[in-house]
Amino acid sequence: MGVFAHEYPNEAGIVRAALASSFVALLLGGVMGLIQALHRTGYVQVIDDSTYYTVLTLHGVSLAILFSIFFLVGFFQWAVTDSLDRPSEDIRFTKLWYALMVLGSIMAAVPILGGFIDQTEISADVLFTFYAPLEAHPLFYAGLAVFIIGTWLAGIDWFRSWWAWKQKNRGEKTPLRTFMVLTTMLMWYLASAGVAIAVIFFLLPWQLGLVGGVNPLLTRTLFWFFGHPVVYFWLMPVYMMWYVILPKLAGGRLFSDPLARIVFVLFLVLSVPTGIHHQYVDPGISEGFKFLAMTNTMFLLLPSLLTAFTVVASIEHGARQRGGSGYFRWLTDLPWNRPAFTGMALAALMFAAAGFSGMVNAGMNFNYLVHNTLWIVGHFHLTVGTAVALSFMASTYWFLPKITGHKVFSKRLGLVQVVVWFIGMVFMSNAMHRIGLAGEPRRTADPFYDGVTFETSLGTISELHAQIALGSVLLVVSLLLFAAHILLSWFNFADKDAPTPDTIPPALSGPEHAPAVLENFRLWTAIAIGLILLTYTLPIAAIVSGNGWFGPVTTFIGDTSSFLTGLFHAVFGVIP
Amino acid sequence: MEIHRYEKIWFGVAVLLIVAFIGTVAYGAVGAGIEMVDDDGGTIDPNNLSDHERFGDTGVHQVGDGEFEVNMIAVHPSFIPNDIEIPEGSTVTFYMTASDVTHGFNIAGTNVNSMIIPGQITEITVEFDESGTYGFVCHEYCGSLHHEMEGQIQVVPEDEFGGDA
Amino acid sequence: MSSGTEHEASPDTLDEPDDVWEVDIEKQIGHDEYDPVGTLSLITVYFLIIAFLWVFMYFVEFLGRGPTVV
Ligand code: HEM
Ligand SMILES: [Cu+2]
Ligand SMILES: [Cu+2]
């Protein structure tokens, strides 16, 4: 195999474009993060308290939605084309979904940015969760919808490639990377249906005055139907990196290919019916449904715990092939001087820590301790903010040469960058967890109250604030290093040569050992849908019977509203 | 399929860990008696709160010996009421709802933590055994002044309690 | 690739993105000759940390503080 950029120039172009979009969002979001961290700790306040929420919306949307998903589609496009070894079936279609995603991003960004300009009425200060009845400009919701439709078409594109490949390779196992892409996309179709329904059937009609109101608990529940599995959407490409790239970088081979497939199938089946764990302390949902969501959530730990074993074992295999020995001494025989390896390994280490705070969040009544405090923010800066973001950045050092056709600027600079991110996040996240236990709320511009004090057992609140501020500065330094490095590499300032083509070594236990039933995507999707119906039908029925599809109906176009309500009842059947 | 022995061991341990987690939480619910916020509070029309028997009459009400009810409306950027006084050792049931958007309610440093959602009534019962001042905040973004939304519960020794506020 | 002599710490070679697979592998280890004892050790340590933290956080931090919703 040659270099990807030369073999598949059109596809490489799309991958480059997707990565570029992703990095623009990362840089923008990161700078917003710094403003927030310094503002809410009281160190530097360059914006008004009320503008804080515009900044936070921009941070959440650009990082959690745009950065992560643009990177994902770029990476998946490479994974599919490279592992099936065939070009896109129709590159115009590939360009179409990318263009839709860009269009959607711009549509959503315009009203958010409008929030900075006092002269305009246009704004979207609703944070990335946009809980109704908070209202954003309709363009915001429409943009999100267009963006998501773009990702749906991307999935179709990859399925088309796979079907075409299958015609020529009957009876063969789907290559691992494509298998991972397809299971991830199936999960995504199920998950994003929740938010699409919320936007298209409830939020936009409500905003456009077609229906009388909105049922806030219903749209909130639909949001979290999507909001939990979306974290797996961020994570599954990272798992792919950890399974496929990390062992190779360590000088080893993936321990077990079949187990990797099982893990992805488990994610497909279990990711969606867990969203209610974000609503443990919501009124209007009974304890039984919450307990059920918790049970699913806890079992969803299983694929991650299995991943921990398989990935570490694959890395250890590399260390031993490089001459490592002992129970722990082999750790020193890993290529720690390589930024791609080190960054991803540190990201995985952070994810292990995040696993623990996630277990606390998941523990139903345990959630009283931490819900909506800064602990949660500390938690997800370890997961999406590091396990995902740092893996994406680190893998870029390995990945970029394949799609640009020349080596990256400097490995040492890359190494410094990933280590600084890690250190910055240790400070910021640790302090956030602890200050959250003291009760400091998240999403709060100025958490200094007249009548409320926060107390922490070790140290003081102001020390913790200092750590958050310090961490955020380090993080942004790391981010700027990354941006500079990418620019220097992209335009090849150091005039580097073409990369030596490399291949991914086969797994120790290969795909031939995987049971054939794993390839039965229909079966797994059906089981996933079954579980979703089991966990969601009754809670949604209860929410709707309490307050209607569109909230307690007000006068506004009351007739249209009751007509649509009737229509919904007919369509959805059973619910009174 | 080849699965290494160590991996089988880890699988078993992982399942045990998960079961132990669920067991702990179940113990907290049954053994330690921690209730979840649920649908007991019922629903309400957020546009007509003043007509409602509870929310037409916000504030603290003594309903029995050492038992109080607090009827509270959250509306950006205030809690109504935001200054609550009760005697030490009382059991307080909070009934909370929102007239505008979604809010949160967290008594800082305690395990009292819930959402307040328009159309729903959050009903939670809390025992205050120790006197002191308990500050609470709104922990869900609700508008440009969200960070100003706070209140206090004064838990005073029995003999200092001024009575039904 | 022929340069099998990369020195880990030498800054000059840091910039060579040579495939670790081509430069550093001393011996190939197959599935049946490989026992991931290091992984088992690490994961045992992780398990102990998690189990301890869980018990501490639930029974001391959480149940140990009040008031709580009853
Ligand atoms: C430059 C590094 C970063 C800094 C300094 C930073 C800082 C912060 C701070 C201080 C908050 C809390 C704001 C509040 O609740 O009041 C926050 C929220 C958040 N951050 Fe970051 N962050 C960084 C990177 C990231 C990354 C890489 C991601 C994801 C890929 C991310 C995702 C989020 C999300 C989703 C929120 C929640 C937004 C919300 O509550 O609506 N952050 N960040
Ligand atoms: Cu979740
Ligand atoms: Cu608020």
Side-chain angles (χ1 to χ4, degrees), chain A residues 224 227-232 271 274-278 297 300 361-362 379:
Chain A
W224 286 115
H228 185 73
V230 77
V231 316
Y232 290 100
S271 288
T274 54
I276 288 178
H277 69 211
H278 291 259
T297 307
L300 196 49
N361 304 342
H379 165 74

Side-chain angles (χ1 to χ4, degrees), chain B residues 103 138 140-142 146 149:
Chain B
H103 298 269
C138 170
E140 184 55 82
Y141 166 65
C142 53
H146 155 64
M149 202 166 156

Side-chain angles (χ1 to χ4, degrees), chain C residues 22-36:
Chain C
E22 317 223 353
V23 289
D24 294 338
I25 304 298
E26 296 186 359
K27 53 175 188 284
Q28 297 259 359
I29 302 174
H31 187 271
D32 297 335
E33 352 156 41
Y34 174 46
D35 269 334

Side-chain angles (χ1 to χ4, degrees), chain A residues 358-373:
Chain A
M359 292 165 192
V360 173
N361 304 342
M364 200 171 74
N365 44 41
F366 214 170
N367 191 258
Y368 278 133
L369 184 69
V370 295
H371 182 80
N372 265 5
T373 67

Side-chain angles (χ1 to χ4, degrees), chain B residues 103-144:
Chain B
H103 298 269
F105 176 78
N106 184 15
I107 306 181
T110 75
N111 299 329
V112 180
N113 187 336
S114 72
M115 302 303 297
I116 306 175
I117 300 176
Q120 307 289 331
I121 299 171
T122 301
E123 180 191 332
I124 52 177
T125 299
V126 182
E127 287 164 1
F128 290 92
D129 295 332
E130 279 171 43
S131 60
T133 300
Y134 296 82
F136 57 86
V137 300
C138 170
H139 64 23
E140 184 55 82
Y141 166 65
C142 53
S144 57

